[in-house]
Amino acid sequence: MARDLFGLFKDSGGFEIKQCITNISPLSVCSPPLSENPICSESNFPNSNHYIQRCTCLDLNKNVFEYLSLFDSDYTLVDLGILFSIYTLKVRMPDDTVTYITYKHGLKQNPDFLENAPFEIIEKFRFPDKKELFFEYIRQYAELIKQHIPQEKMIILELPLTQRYIDENAKINYFSADGETAEILENSPRCFDTSLICRYLKRAYKVFEKYFPHAHVIKCPNTEVLCNQNHKWGLHPLHYTIEFYQYALDAIRAVTSVSDRKSEKIMLKSLQNAYTEMIRAKYFSVADEYNLKNLSVISSESIDFGKHITICLNGEGGTNSYTYSVLVKRKNETVWKKLGEFKKGSVKYRPVFCGAYEACVKIKDSNNVEIKKFFSFVVR
């Protein structure tokens, strides 16, 4: 999730990201290595991009913290999204060593590796299946982190847990384990009792806060945070609407810019309250409907040949920072001509033929939710 946070903003939100590792199971990090020597290299995963190749190798070769130690960063951001987003594999080596690895995208995208792996897969499970085992390793994970990262340089980001998302038609829907979102939920325990998983997750964060009393903690907003089907990287239980990322980024800016911890706590609480109210107002004022509106208008329904028509761009609701696309075509044509993309203002268009025309204005907000509005006009 942390990678998404910075990747959604220009220039990583103003931060320099030295290293990033995602989707590594605490069981894998804290369990014995598969062998004395590395068992894979990036070339073993040709169907994956470089980032996935690297993270998969770091997981299987058990050298995550060696990698993190290559740079002395000002802060390290940690979240526990792994607990409800991916499977863990229990495996046995030829010498009967039993250990754990993460069932990462690199393994899914390159099935030949597991088919020819130098180990036997004993079991495949997720956090809710083995919660007490996970909590045992979460404590070991915390102890391991303490050995490598000073608490004062650690930021713990609490992630929200939600059952609902905004779909491509700007409607609010529930994730379903047996519906259209079943495949998306396949790697997430959200198909279990959500309230139960939420309690587990809160318990895990409390363990971390206990182990790191001097770390910087960014709490979730005190309201439901929806997921977003129009997210830059698609629909996923950890891909939220833009306000959560804006909140997290603002909170990280507060942590990194304030040296007084008392002032930092006041600022973080203020941000949490402000974004809680903002999210409630934007997403839950109208039941089951995202409140983005396209209020664009056209100057006239008919014009004389040689004159131009004006399309005024306007919208409200949703998440601000709108982008407008304006398209036109003759009534009897099928291909639209795009006049361009605009941030605000109005667009003038001078038709080159007489007859009936259509215009379309698309408004898109920073959640990538798009609302279309159509107009008809005649050139005499």
Side-chain angles (χ1 to χ4, degrees):
M1 183 272 159
R3 185 172 74 117
D4 297 345
L5 163 61
F6 297 104
L8 286 171
F9 298 96
K10 184 179 179 181
D11 299 326
S12 298
F15 292 93
E16 182 182 3
I17 311 301
K18 292 288 189 181
Q19 296 149 304
C20 181
I21 305 175
T22 52
N23 291 335
I24 303 290
S25 170
L27 278 69
S28 177
V29 175
C30 300
S31 59
L34 293 161
S35 70
E36 292 183 1
N37 301 311
I39 69 161
C40 66
S41 66
E42 293 181 5
S43 61
N44 291 115
F45 308 100
N47 299 325
S48 303
N49 63 40
H50 176 65
Y51 178 75
I52 291 176
Q53 290 175 343
R54 186 183 72 215
C55 287
T56 303
C57 289
L58 290 172
D59 180 76
L60 293 175
N61 293 327
K62 304 299 178 77
N63 49 13
V64 168
F65 281 97
E66 287 85 345
Y67 174 73
L68 289 176
S69 299
L70 293 175
F71 290 94
D72 183 19
S73 299
D74 295 327
Y75 293 92
T76 299
L77 180 64
V78 178
D79 68 69
L80 296 178
I82 181 64
L83 295 183
F84 55 100
S85 67
I86 208 163
Y87 280 96
T88 297
L89 300 179
K90 184 178 182 180
V91 303
R92 180 188 290 117
M93 296 299 292
D95 64 358
D96 288 332
T97 299
V98 174
T99 188
Y100 298 98
I101 62 175
T102 312
Y103 188 48
K104 296 180 64 59
H105 291 304
L107 298 178
K108 298 177 194 175
Q109 295 167 356
N110 301 271
D112 289 348
F113 181 84
L114 283 183
E115 290 175 6
N116 301 287
F119 52 75
E120 173 193 2
I121 298 174
I122 302 172
E123 192 176 6
K124 175 183 174 183
F125 57 90
R126 295 179 292 191
F127 174 44
D129 304 321
K130 303 271 187 179
K131 70 177 187 302
E132 292 309 323
L133 177 65
F134 267 89
F135 277 110
E136 176 187 336
Y137 273 88
I138 287 170
R139 295 181 184 93
Q140 295 182 37
Y141 184 45
E143 290 286 0
L144 190 59
I145 291 175
K146 285 178 72 173
Q147 297 173 24
H148 292 85
I149 303 171
Q151 292 190 48
E152 294 76 11
K153 293 186 174 184
M154 183 173 170
I155 302 174
I156 300 173
L157 175 62
E158 291 191 0
L159 299 182
L161 187 66
T162 181
Q163 294 178 288
R164 304 198 294 171
Y165 65 96
I166 298 173
D167 69 13
E168 59 187 4
N169 297 312
K171 301 295 183 182
I172 298 176
N173 288 323
Y174 281 86
F175 283 103
S176 172
D178 55 3
E180 293 181 1
T181 53
E183 183 177 351
I184 295 166
L185 289 174
E186 192 255 335
N187 284 325
S188 168
R190 287 169 188 256
C191 54
F192 291 77
D193 183 341
T194 304
S195 61
L196 190 63
I197 302 301
C198 192
R199 290 202 298 273
Y200 294 161
L201 189 63
K202 288 181 178 179
R203 177 181 163 191
Y205 274 113
K206 284 182 179 179
V207 169
F208 254 55
E209 290 184 40
K210 180 180 178 180
Y211 272 89
F212 304 104
H214 302 295
H216 311 267
V217 180
I218 300 173
K219 298 284 189 180
C220 288
N222 289 318
T223 188
E224 180 184 7
V225 177
L226 298 172
C227 293
N228 183 10
Q229 187 170 358
N230 300 289
H231 192 282
K232 182 177 180 179
W233 292 293
L235 180 62
H236 185 276
L238 292 176
H239 289 170
Y240 308 107
T241 52
I242 194 66
E243 286 80 13
F244 178 75
Y245 301 103
Q246 292 171 333
Y247 162 62
L249 193 63
D250 282 347
I252 292 170
R253 286 171 177 152
V255 168
T256 57
S257 63
V258 179
S259 57
D260 174 22
R261 295 300 288 266
K262 183 177 180 181
S263 298
E264 175 191 307
K265 288 184 178 180
I266 293 172
M267 290 180 67
L268 290 179
K269 186 62 178 177
S270 177
L271 284 169
Q272 183 190 30
N273 292 339
Y275 275 93
T276 294
E277 292 305 314
M278 178 193 301
I279 291 169
R280 283 176 180 166
K282 285 190 175 182
Y283 296 101
F284 307 115
S285 57
V286 180
D288 297 327
E289 185 174 351
Y290 187 68
N291 64 344
L292 176 63
K293 296 179 181 179
N294 191 338
L295 303 178
S296 302
V297 295
I298 196 167
S299 59
S300 177
E301 294 182 354
S302 64
I303 58 171
D304 293 329
F305 180 73
K307 302 293 185 181
H308 64 254
I309 196 158
T310 302
I311 301 170
C312 298
L313 309 175
N314 191 20
E316 70 175 23
T319 301
N320 292 331
S321 186
Y322 307 133
T323 299
Y324 300 89
S325 297
V326 181
L327 305 94
V328 296
K329 72 178 184 70
R330 298 178 73 184
K331 198 95 172 183
N332 59 352
E333 294 177 337
T334 57
V335 179
W336 290 87
K337 176 184 178 181
K338 188 173 181 178
L339 302 184
E341 292 189 351
F342 311 89
K343 290 296 183 181
K344 59 182 179 180
S346 60
V347 179
K348 292 184 177 181
Y349 173 65
R350 193 189 306 273
V352 296
F353 299 101
C354 292
Y357 281 77
E358 289 181 305
C360 175
V361 178
K362 301 177 184 179
I363 180 175
K364 182 186 292 186
D365 68 0
S366 50
N367 272 322
N368 290 324
V369 174
E370 185 177 84
I371 303 293
K372 300 177 183 177
K373 189 172 185 180
F374 294 90
F375 304 94
S376 297
F377 63 96
V378 175
V379 181
R380 299 186 295 265

